[in-house]
Amino acid sequence: MATVPMASLSNGQLIPVMGMGTMSAAGPEATRTAIVEAIRAGYRHFDTSYSYGTEKPLGEGIREALEAGLIKSRDELFITSKLSCGFADPPVVVDGIRGSLRNLGLEYVDMYLIHMPLKLNPQVRRIPVAKEDIFAMDLKGVWEGMEEGQRLGLTKAIGVSNFSPRRLQELLSFAKIPPVINQVEMSPLWHQNKLREFCKQKGIHITAYSPLGAVGTFWGHNKIVDSDVIAEIAKLKGKTSAQIALRWVYEKGVSIVAKSFDKERMRQNIDIFDWSLTEEESAKIDQLPQHKAVVFANIYGPHDVVLQLDAEL
């Protein structure tokens, strides 16, 4: 079993630097099985969201792992969930957190994030969404609800996802409890240099999602796993292209959420900590042309609030 290093957050929490993402259409049974397998392989951070529909199978997988003795206590795990856009309304934020905990069958999560700075009509069940069903978020009111969730002990810490420097600046202007994490797309083809510098100055830890370009999704691309530059480095080191990409992201000082339900790739994804890239190899990847994988207008529709979000990220 691999051991995943930890990163220290501004509130004193430790977060495993490699987490497993659970956004998947594989279904609850496959998700539960993958969670148990991931715990067996050494994963201790699991990332979910109310909107993924994977909170229940994640909770079931955790309980199965406990019963099998793969872990002694739930406290060995770091669980992140997120406030769906349908709950991004001040009066129902705490209800959103409680709903996630019910799904997970847990008393608390370690990290709870605003999934994105948008509000959706809670009745929405499919994407793209109609213009009348998507709105700007009351960030101050929603953040007060997030702070209340932490005060109630429903989550150990709070943060955000898909927030630009401008939106973080706005949030920091009134937050009584500052965000600990900003989870954003970051990969060898989407470096996020400006955002990473801003977050570093503010003590906000970055977790990178889609580190391989969201390969396999309808919105993602294969440009990272098919990159000749990355493939050449991989061949020299006896690694896979995915491992080179993940190691590059890790060496930028962030934590990562990567999703694979394949047993072998799951293990490969955490086999990146006992070797490193040379300065020359890293510099070659630094020079790759940039290509964003997650364009929210392609998912939610080209609405003004979405286009603004895409422009900032």
Side-chain angles (χ1 to χ4, degrees):
M1 184 182 80
T3 302
V4 176
M6 308 290 259
S8 190
L9 303 177
S10 62
N11 65 344
Q13 265 181 311
L14 294 175
I15 183 172
V17 296
M18 178 65 78
M20 180 173 170
T22 63
M23 188 177 78
S24 170
E29 187 58 30
T31 302
R32 181 189 59 75
T33 304
I35 299 305
V36 177
E37 197 53 50
I39 290 173
R40 188 175 278 117
Y43 285 82
R44 293 297 179 263
H45 176 199
F46 293 90
D47 178 89
T48 185
S49 171
Y50 187 91
S51 59
Y52 297 167
T54 56
E55 289 173 328
K56 281 183 179 173
L58 171 55
E60 288 163 6
I62 292 168
R63 286 187 288 283
E64 189 174 322
L66 281 163
E67 285 164 16
L70 299 176
I71 46 172
K72 293 186 176 68
S73 155
R74 176 264 179 267
D75 295 345
E76 291 178 39
L77 302 177
F78 190 104
I79 307 299
T80 297
S81 194
K82 309 181 195 81
L83 181 78
S84 83
C85 296
F87 283 106
D89 194 27
V92 294
V93 172
V94 172
D95 294 340
I97 307 180
R98 290 192 197 279
S100 286
L101 292 177
R102 273 195 303 277
N103 286 340
L104 287 159
L106 298 177
E107 292 178 6
Y108 70 91
V109 287
D110 299 272
M111 186 67 58
Y112 196 72
L113 310 176
I114 294 178
H115 204 149
M116 61 181 62
L118 294 173
K119 177 186 164 186
L120 287 182
N121 179 336
Q123 307 308 316
V124 166
R125 290 291 176 271
R126 62 185 62 189
I127 51 174
V129 302
K131 187 181 179 183
E132 60 270 19
D133 287 330
I134 193 161
F135 320 90
M137 178 197 285
D138 170 7
L139 183 54
K140 189 168 189 291
V142 167
W143 192 252
E144 284 169 359
M146 296 285 285
E147 291 174 329
E148 181 64 12
Q150 181 171 332
R151 276 192 288 270
L152 291 168
L154 307 178
T155 179
K156 288 191 173 180
I158 51 177
V160 295
S161 182
N162 301 304
F163 269 55
S164 64
R166 182 184 77 78
R167 289 175 200 257
L168 287 169
Q169 194 72 62
E170 181 192 347
L171 175 53
L172 291 167
S173 73
F174 52 71
K176 293 184 179 70
I177 303 172
V180 176
I181 276 180
N182 186 19
Q183 189 182 116
V184 294
E185 179 187 349
M186 182 182 159
S187 76
L189 296 190
W190 200 247
H191 293 172
Q192 294 282 20
N193 292 336
K194 183 181 164 195
L195 179 62
R196 281 193 287 123
E197 188 53 44
F198 179 89
C199 288
K200 190 177 175 184
Q201 288 170 10
K202 303 295 182 185
I204 300 169
H205 178 79
I206 284 193
T207 297
Y209 72 71
S210 299
L212 304 177
V215 63
T217 65
F218 77 82
W219 58 82
H221 59 67
N222 302 336
K223 293 176 187 293
I224 295 168
V225 290
D226 291 346
S227 162
D228 291 341
V229 170
I230 292 174
E232 191 182 320
I233 296 168
K235 192 176 177 185
L236 282 168
K237 293 189 112 60
K239 304 294 177 185
T240 66
S241 288
Q243 285 175 313
I244 297 300
L246 292 170
R247 178 71 200 190
W248 179 89
V249 175
Y250 166 64
E251 288 186 5
K252 296 299 179 186
V254 305
S255 59
I256 303 169
V257 167
K259 196 220 87 188
S260 178
F261 284 8
D262 178 88
K263 208 183 285 192
E264 181 58 28
R265 283 198 297 273
M266 205 187 274
R267 283 172 157 74
Q268 288 173 355
N269 287 351
I270 52 173
D271 184 20
I272 63 165
F273 300 114
D274 59 355
W275 53 274
S276 57
L277 298 171
T278 65
E279 281 186 28
E280 186 187 5
E281 289 165 344
S282 195
K284 280 183 181 174
I285 298 173
D286 288 346
Q287 288 156 23
L288 289 172
Q290 297 296 279
H291 186 91
K292 195 172 191 284
V294 183
V295 178
F296 291 114
N298 293 343
I299 302 169
Y300 291 99
H303 311 302
D304 289 350
V305 287
V306 183
L307 293 169
Q308 176 67 37
L309 180 58
D310 278 329
E312 291 178 9
L313 285 169

